[in-house]
Amino acid sequence: ACGDNGGSSDQAGGSTDKKPKIGVILPDSKSSARWEGADRKFLKEAFDAAGVESDIQNAQNDKTAFQTIADQMITNGVNVLMIVNLDSGTGKAVLDKAKSQGVATIDYDRLTLGGSAQYYVSFDNEAVGKLQGEGLSKCLTDKGVKNPSIAYLNGSPTDNNATLFKNGYDSVLKPKFDSKEYTKVADDSVPAWDNAQAATIFEQQLTKAGGKIDGVLAANDGLGNAAISVLKKNKLNGKVPVTGQDATKEGLQNILAGDQCMTVYKAVKKEADAAAELAIALAKGEKKETGQTVKDPEGNRDVPAVLLEPKAIYKDNVKDVVADNYVTKEELCTGAFAKLCTDAGVS
Amino acid sequence: MTATVVKKEGPAGVAPAPTVGSHVNNYWRRVRGGDIGALPAVIMLLVLAVGFSIARPSFFTAGNLANLFTQGAAVTLIAMGLVFVLLLGEIDLSAGFASGVCAAILANVVTVLGYPWYVAVLAAVVTGVVIGTVLGLLVAKVGIPSFVVTLAGFLAFQGVVLTLMDEGANIAVRDDTLVAIANRNLSPALGWALAALAVGGYAAVQLLRHRNRSARGLLTDPIAVVAARIGGLAVILGLAVYVLNLERSRNVLVVSLKGVPIVVPIIAVLLVVWTFVLQRTSYGRHIYAVGGNAEAARRAGISVDRIRISVFVICSGMAAIGGIVAASRANSVDPNTGGSNVLLYAVGAAVIGGTSLFGGKGRVLDAVLGGAVVAVIDNGMGLMGYSSGVKFVVTGVVLLAAATIDALSRRRAAATGTR
Amino acid sequence: MTATVVKKEGPAGVAPAPTVGSHVNNYWRRVRGGDIGALPAVIMLLVLAVGFSIARPSFFTAGNLANLFTQGAAVTLIAMGLVFVLLLGEIDLSAGFASGVCAAILANVVTVLGYPWYVAVLAAVVTGVVIGTVLGLLVAKVGIPSFVVTLAGFLAFQGVVLTLMDEGANIAVRDDTLVAIANRNLSPALGWALAALAVGGYAAVQLLRHRNRSARGLLTDPIAVVAARIGGLAVILGLAVYVLNLERSRNVLVVSLKGVPIVVPIIAVLLVVWTFVLQRTSYGRHIYAVGGNAEAARRAGISVDRIRISVFVICSGMAAIGGIVAASRANSVDPNTGGSNVLLYAVGAAVIGGTSLFGGKGRVLDAVLGGAVVAVIDNGMGLMGYSSGVKFVVTGVVLLAAATIDALSRRRAAATGTR
Amino acid sequence: MSATPLLELRGIDKSFGPVQVLRDVAFTAHPGEVTALVGDNGAGKSTLVKCISGIYPTDAGEFLFDGRPVSINSPRDAAALGIEVVYQDLALCDNLDIVQNMFLGREKRSGIVLDEPTMEQMAAETLAGLSVRTVKSLRQHVSSLSGGQRQTVAIAKAVLWNSKLVILDEPTAALGVAQTAQVLELVRRLADNGLAVVLISHNMNDVFAVSDRIAALYLGQMVAQVKTTDITHSQVVELITAGRSGGLGLAGEPGSNGTGAAPADTTPGAVR
Amino acid sequence: MSATPLLELRGIDKSFGPVQVLRDVAFTAHPGEVTALVGDNGAGKSTLVKCISGIYPTDAGEFLFDGRPVSINSPRDAAALGIEVVYQDLALCDNLDIVQNMFLGREKRSGIVLDEPTMEQMAAETLAGLSVRTVKSLRQHVSSLSGGQRQTVAIAKAVLWNSKLVILDEPTAALGVAQTAQVLELVRRLADNGLAVVLISHNMNDVFAVSDRIAALYLGQMVAQVKTTDITHSQVVELITAGRSGGLGLAGEPGSNGTGAAPADTTPGAVR
Ligand SMILES: Nc1ncnc2c1ncn2[C@@H]1O[C@H](COP(=O)(O)OP(=O)(O)OP(=O)(O)O)[C@@H](O)[C@H]1O
Ligand SMILES: Nc1ncnc2c1ncn2[C@@H]1O[C@H](COP(=O)(O)OP(=O)(O)OP(=O)(O)O)[C@@H](O)[C@H]1O
Ligand SMILES: [Mg+2]
Ligand SMILES: [Mg+2]
């Protein structure tokens, strides 16, 4: 299938004298800061450096908008379409439409099941969840808590990624629940990843548990911060480990302050660069080998893939994130955090 | 539609003689007096289209026109149903998620349970009708304000969709017929045939009415004006079909893409049917009456409760159809179907078209025109390539600018009292 | 408040003599006649509280009561502002995101730019006022329907928040004073002092009014009834302060947690101020007049446009305060602040409390009571441990059940015409 | 006077919350007669009419129509019995035009389609009969009509139908000289055609000009229902303003019904 | 007749969309006099009033107040000049009570707080002067008032203020016998106190009883403005219904203003 599409995209490229053009559809701006804050920047830099035209848009977690944007990009004459799908259904519809119009496609960060993308570039979302689960149990062990009560603060119930994250941390924690080593006292999803609702939900979890929550598995840094704000109010911050994801400035600061136990850092730049490289190649009508493949169970095919490893960040390796230039020292080490930064070896 | 005089007498009582000139003249005076019907929405559409075409020439292509229809279809369908509820001065906040519930039922029936498409469609529409009945009963019989009832529905249906979707997964819709609704086109010939049928039907209705009225000695529009109307429709439809029948595939060797998208006749038929119901049946008349003055309607012996229930049924039923189209377009249903901005866009479409939130004023055509405005803005913004923050801001500003055209042109609306 | 008779004469013209007995009797007849004011909301709250306490005993703890206030504060504050807009029969869909914009400004000023907290609060409130002025001008002077203006605002402000948040990042709010607003408590003594002040002030106002009216020979409530009202307030406030002053820390050795949450006096002061404005100033009177019959108000020489603009300013200003509280509570601002369900919950709170969407009817107290209902439902549902789908459904159903109490108790409202 | 009255009310009570507006009211309307219902402002006339037409539920009392007891719970029920009412607060739909208002709830149809030409013709004829000359177009929204024009539309709406009882609540209040004359003539004509007509008016000249019988309400009580020929102009005014006039009306203290010596065929206090 | 009229209109035109309702209307109101404005239903009386009070903008024409040209663009402007109006469509706020309606836009205050007791007292006194006896409570919403009671509230609202010109559009239409007498007396008293009063009425008896001058509108044109003593009852009716009566009113074909022989001190057609 790859060969066919490569051919047709050649034709499309040949029919226009203009520079090759790449369209990117990001999923939303609210589930995580990475999309607009990092991915957009890194992808644009890579495309600009290679001298290809690009059009990067965000679907704002709206499937209809997602499809509309795809239609518009195809109308606008992109040669390569790179999508982060909102769900496999719309993703497939968009990929199929693009294919039928001779546009090459890449699945970015999320695999479209049953889809027709030529490449897949991603962090493994389940691996992210696994790191969170492992991180939480590590922090609990470090604190020496016996038979801890755990609360889940999952992502949006309508977000498939949230399900994937959960699968990941469940795979680590469920055995511990089953063996009665840990107790799960609450398990709630936060609609639309809304931090304000997360605070209320966590406060109620705490009330329901009679105040006894020893560890919080928060699906990202925003939810984690919401839990921390409630813990602070009850003067429990720092005593109860909280997880996160995305290595946001706020999350890292919480880690430095000892309120948050860990976050998961995804080197978005690496992912973006890998994807951009593939996209540029496709746009120029070239073919690249990735070396890896991922099985699409629904489409029953092996998709050539670039898979990157997420990284767990604790207080002692916050400096790695800064070293990667994902967050700058100036942003991170403001005010009271300057000293904490020094203590943690951030330079 | 037209003016009739009881008796001619006295200097101020003279009605203009119904000649073509006076008709045009009269229309112009009405427009200047602020009684302008669909005009502002049409102007809005033109201004937006010209603006976007200048900014992004690709806006002005056959392919984009076709996209426009399918992109705006679901919201427009929901807005058409909402017009009925708004005509009564009620609101249905749950329409978006009701469409989600119906879409979820559709997907479950066709994909999970494996029934044929028509069973699924039937199930979805029946679900919509049931939802509407429940909402209507709560509003009319229990007497809870519709805002509260449908806010509860908004929450509950969101949960129902989640539950039907197994807490977050999505269900694919792969049935060919269902997928065709929002993704395939009529053959060019069929497009022409339908357009011809529409013009013919319109002509027949108009001419019959003209004959009927003049036979009874009632005042009628001059026949030339009637002919001009029919001609106008023919030109517009002809042009639209012509453009949509152009080849719009980027790569004709791979696939040929032409013809009127299937959703277009679906919307057109529903538009005609609902317009007929509102304008030409006593049921429709009663809806306007209840919306205008519920107490007067009650005193006239109209069963206000029954009307109230029925509009919720229509609204949720149309939401079901909107949900089916959305599912078809997305090839799938997920827990967000009908969520996010769908509801506000649908109500906004109806209001931008000229429907009042206070009841008694509005047409189904308003929803279609307003839906078109919303779709054009969305479509055009998609071509501009802004970052998401900027895009939201610009969308809001463009919407406001469009609404300003409407407000300014209605400015003179010193209530002329004639329609 | 009370009835006055022009003249006593004729069999049907007899007014009941103002004794305590007749007063109680009269109140009971008014209640049976459907004129019940805040009663249904209070009943709703009681039923919900009892229900949740039975289902989850942890609901009925001092700690949870304190949580309740901070959880519902932001929505309640926004709802209080919305009452003004609703009183005019307008709507402000942008109030939620307006609070988000103001919160974002707050966070930027205090965290990014590093100014002291009062500068940030001022900046946030000024932002709210500016937003309200723009919305109001567009509605009143340009004449665009408020639904459309504020829908545009809803979209645009969403974008503004994203832009202010650097396209999606959170900004932490770590300033101690700001964090205290939604997270700290008054000292128990201060709580008692404030309660005493409130009761004393109420008593002074009531007794002065009583003396003033009886000095002029106007009909007044019997002094016993006045005393009973004051006593009632004293009991309620005393009880609330007492419960909130109980120790609610789970581990007194680690930390002591008691006292009235700081948001409570903030809401209380705003409630008193806005109630005073609406009930005791001519500005407030004019708001009701414009909402009841804008044409009559205009004919009475009221500047309708100015009133219209002012309510949007109040609404957005209150949204700013709501945003500040939300930011304080979350210790941070994210692009969702003021988004998701905030707006619908706020409008719902006002409507559940008894405010009409058609204008002319509503009080700020309605928003507080309605906000309490919404907060109790949210709080209680959080203790039930449902999965999110079921949680949505049950929330909707509970909301509906609560509204049914209201609808049934207003059922008899065959317009008694007295207040 | 025909034997059975078309409409007979007995012991009607009606309160709004704590305010009792009608107490123990009895009233009859006979076919072929115009019954004038008079009373001071706020006496309860309009309330009585709304109780008859099913807009307000009554607290107590009986309705007899054509001798049979009936219960009227909604305007639909009243219309089904053949009762047509012109309300004082006209209750027209401002967003509909004249023709649409006149046929509201009883549209003419051919098949399921509204038969607009027929309705327009019928409306034009009826209005012409009421001396309406200044209406520019039958397709004008009623919101743009003058006070008198609105009132004419409401009257025309009520007389368009074959009914048995027509109640007109101050129908001529806003009408001009010529139009008033037309309406009074119409009222007389309806009665002569065998209908029962109830006319509420503050204009004693009109009352004496067309009515066969006068019923007087005083502060929610029916103080007299007598033949027009048996009472004088000033007596009626006295009944309206004081509740009694000579042997008619309330007897002693307010609150108890009078039963003083009454002229033949008049029944003081609550009739019958 | 005083030298300068308080209010003088010249050449007023007013159209609603394609419909011209007033054409070239001239009108004067003198202090100390009651000017009756008569005309058929739909003649344009209420429209003229609304033009004077700034509710409708006029298409053409001049306003002179106390001899000085003024422009009235809103009811505020009219109130500032000292013009008070009782509208035919009463325009009360149904969600407010009687006192609140009567003081709307001109609330009494002490400091910034509304002075309710003062307002209540003043309202009670004014209403008592208008023979209102059936209102149960001054704190009743006006939505629950009877037709006549509403009208009384509207009248009371207008006469509460020190104004120079009071315009009453069919103020007695819904009033009872006693109340009508009171209002007519009030009208006379206002004029005798030096105010200019304009009274619109369809009741010729009332018009002749209180007015000093009669202005007749016919299909949007002012056909005569004459002293009441110079014209008879039947002449006025003729002017109303046909636009002319003997030498008065429209001269030839409709559309051109008459200038036939006029009695002394009467000006046919558009006055002045
Ligand atoms: N909904 C209501 N609530 C309370 N009181 C009411 C209501 N409707 C009417 N009333 C009172 O009932 C009394 C009778 O009113 P009604 O309208 O029947 O008088 P009426 O005889 O028709 O007077 P009018 O001649 O002025 O029309 C009045 O005092 C009025 O204030
Ligand atoms: N907003 C409007 N739009 C169109 N026509 C109007 C409007 N308002 C009034 N008219 C028309 O203007 C004419 C004059 O109306 P107006 O209310 O001034 O009459 P009027 O002399 O007060 O009559 P009445 O004695 O019945 O109160 C009427 O024919 C009416 O239909
Ligand atoms: Mg009445
Ligand atoms: Mg008038």
Side-chain angles (χ1 to χ4, degrees), chain D residues 10 13 23 55 58 63 83 103 105 108 125 127 134 138 147 168 195 201 224:
Chain D
R10 290 184 190 152
D13 282 349
R23 33 184 88 199
I55 290 182
T58 55
F63 286 80
I83 301 177
F103 285 83
K108 297 271 169 237
E125 282 156 21
L127 282 180
T134 48
L138 283 177
L168 302 110
L195 273 67
S201 177

Side-chain angles (χ1 to χ4, degrees), chain B residues 414-417, chain D residues 134-136 140 143-149 174, chain E residues 16 19 21 39-48 56 88 169-170 202:
Chain B
T416 63
Chain D
T134 48
V135 171
K136 263 92 192 171
Q140 208 172 352
S143 59
S144 71
L145 294 182
S146 83
Q149 288 167 342
Chain E
F16 292 107
V19 183
V21 173
D40 211 350
N41 287 135
K45 304 181 294 298
S46 299
T47 306
L48 182 61
Y56 292 150
Q88 187 177 16
D169 194 351
E170 307 196 19
H202 288 297

Side-chain angles (χ1 to χ4, degrees), chain C residues 37-407:
Chain C
L39 208 60
V42 172
I43 297 175
M44 260 191 252
L45 278 174
L46 285 179
V47 170
L48 286 171
V50 170
F52 281 125
S53 301
I54 292 169
R56 288 285 177 278
S58 57
F59 179 88
F60 199 64
T61 55
N64 198 45
L65 181 66
N67 289 346
L68 203 54
F69 283 107
T70 45
Q71 287 166 5
V75 164
T76 302
L77 287 166
I78 297 174
M80 288 165 81
L82 272 167
V83 165
F84 286 79
V85 172
L86 297 179
L87 272 177
L88 251 54
E90 308 281 351
I91 183 98
D92 185 355
L93 298 177
S94 70
F97 279 115
S99 83
V101 171
C102 298
I105 294 279
L106 177 94
N108 268 298
V109 172
V110 80
T111 303
V112 180
L113 305 179
Y115 284 99
W117 66 270
Y118 44 87
V119 177
V121 167
L122 194 75
V125 173
V126 168
T127 307
V129 169
V130 170
I131 288 175
T133 313
V134 172
L135 295 177
L137 284 172
L138 286 168
V139 171
K141 296 295 183 186
V142 183
I144 312 173
S146 58
F147 189 94
V148 178
V149 170
T150 58
L151 176 59
F154 171 88
L155 294 169
F157 298 157
Q158 207 167 339
V160 172
V161 178
L162 273 173
T163 315
L164 288 172
M165 298 274 94
D166 256 347
E167 299 285 343
N170 286 14
I171 300 184
V173 174
R174 304 199 192 275
D175 180 276
D176 274 342
T177 317
L178 290 179
V179 169
I181 297 174
N183 295 301
R184 304 266 182 286
N185 309 299
L186 301 178
S187 73
L190 192 53
W192 282 118
L194 284 182
L197 194 73
V199 173
Y202 183 71
V205 169
Q206 287 283 320
L207 292 176
L208 264 176
R209 173 129 115 250
H210 185 266
R211 233 193 33 200
N212 194 348
R213 286 187 68 96
S214 44
R216 291 183 187 239
L218 291 170
L219 256 169
T220 54
D221 295 336
I223 187 82
V225 170
V226 174
R229 274 202 215 117
I230 298 169
L233 185 74
V235 168
I236 292 173
L237 282 189
L239 239 121
V241 173
Y242 171 76
V243 171
L244 288 171
N245 278 350
L246 291 177
E247 179 60 60
R248 53 182 186 266
S249 169
R250 268 159 282 262
N251 192 339
V252 197
L253 299 178
V254 180
V255 62
S256 165
L257 252 190
K258 55 186 173 189
V260 178
I262 294 179
V263 286
V264 174
I266 294 181
I267 292 181
V269 167
L270 285 168
L271 172 64
V272 170
V273 168
W274 289 130
T275 302
F276 172 82
V277 167
L278 277 183
Q279 304 298 335
R280 298 268 165 263
T281 68
S282 46
Y283 170 68
R285 180 73 34 94
H286 294 177
I287 290 181
Y288 281 104
V290 173
N293 186 340
E295 179 61 19
R298 191 168 85 93
R299 292 189 189 175
I302 294 171
S303 172
V304 175
D305 281 359
R306 217 174 299 161
I307 300 275
R308 202 161 267 153
I309 295 169
S310 70
V311 295
F312 280 96
V313 172
I314 292 176
C315 182
S316 301
M318 288 298 290
I321 297 177
I324 295 170
V325 170
S328 161
R329 176 165 158 71
N331 290 4
S332 77
V333 176
D334 68 308
N336 246 326
T337 303
S340 59
N341 288 343
V342 169
L343 173 79
L344 284 181
Y345 273 9
V347 180
V351 174
I352 291 165
T355 303
S356 160
L357 288 173
F358 295 95
K361 185 167 160 287
R363 294 166 310 167
V364 181
L365 182 62
D366 293 344
V368 175
L369 290 172
V373 170
V374 170
V376 166
I377 293 180
D378 234 34
N379 177 298
M381 293 307 302
L383 297 175
M384 303 299 290
Y386 293 125
S387 75
S388 48
V390 177
K391 191 165 155 187
F392 273 122
V393 174
V394 178
T395 307
V397 171
V398 171
L399 178 62
L400 206 57
T404 308
I405 297 174
D406 178 61

Side-chain angles (χ1 to χ4, degrees), chain D residues 110-121:
Chain D
S110 56
I112 60 160
V113 187
L114 291 173
D115 186 356
E116 297 284 355
T118 304
M119 290 196 272
E120 203 166 314
Q121 263 182 330

Side-chain angles (χ1 to χ4, degrees), chain B residues 88-91 93 138 140-145 147-160 162-163 167 341 343-345 347-349 351-352 357-359 387-390 392-397 399-400 403-404 406-408 411, chain C residues 88-91 93 138 140-145 147-160 162-163 167 341 343-345 347-349 351-352 357-359 387-390 392-397 399-400 403-404 406-408 411:
Chain B
L88 249 55
E90 308 281 352
I91 184 98
L93 298 177
L138 287 167
K141 296 294 182 187
V142 183
I144 313 172
F147 190 95
V148 178
V149 170
T150 59
L151 176 59
F154 171 87
L155 295 168
F157 298 158
Q158 206 167 338
V160 171
L162 269 174
T163 315
E167 298 284 340
N341 288 341
L343 173 78
L344 285 180
Y345 273 8
V347 180
V351 174
I352 291 166
L357 288 173
F358 295 95
S387 77
S388 52
V390 177
F392 271 124
V393 175
V394 178
T395 307
V397 171
L399 177 61
L400 206 57
T404 307
D406 178 60
L408 293 182
R411 215 31 179 326
Chain C
L88 251 54
E90 308 281 351
I91 183 98
L93 298 177
L138 286 168
K141 296 295 183 186
V142 183
I144 312 173
F147 189 94
V148 178
V149 170
T150 58
L151 176 59
F154 171 88
L155 294 169
F157 298 157
Q158 207 167 339
V160 172
L162 273 173
T163 315
E167 299 285 343
N341 288 343
L343 173 79
L344 284 181
Y345 273 9
V347 180
V351 174
I352 291 165
L357 288 173
F358 295 95
S387 75
S388 48
V390 177
F392 273 122
V393 174
V394 178
T395 307
V397 171
L399 178 62
L400 206 57
T404 308
D406 178 61
L408 292 182
R411 214 32 180 324

Side-chain angles (χ1 to χ4, degrees), chain D residues 40-47 49-50 88-89 169-170 200 202, chain E residues 145-149 174:
Chain D
D40 211 351
N41 287 134
K45 305 181 294 299
S46 299
T47 305
V49 168
K50 288 179 181 169
Q88 188 176 15
D89 46 347
D169 194 351
E170 308 197 20
I200 297 179
H202 289 297
Chain E
L145 296 182
S146 83
Q149 289 166 341

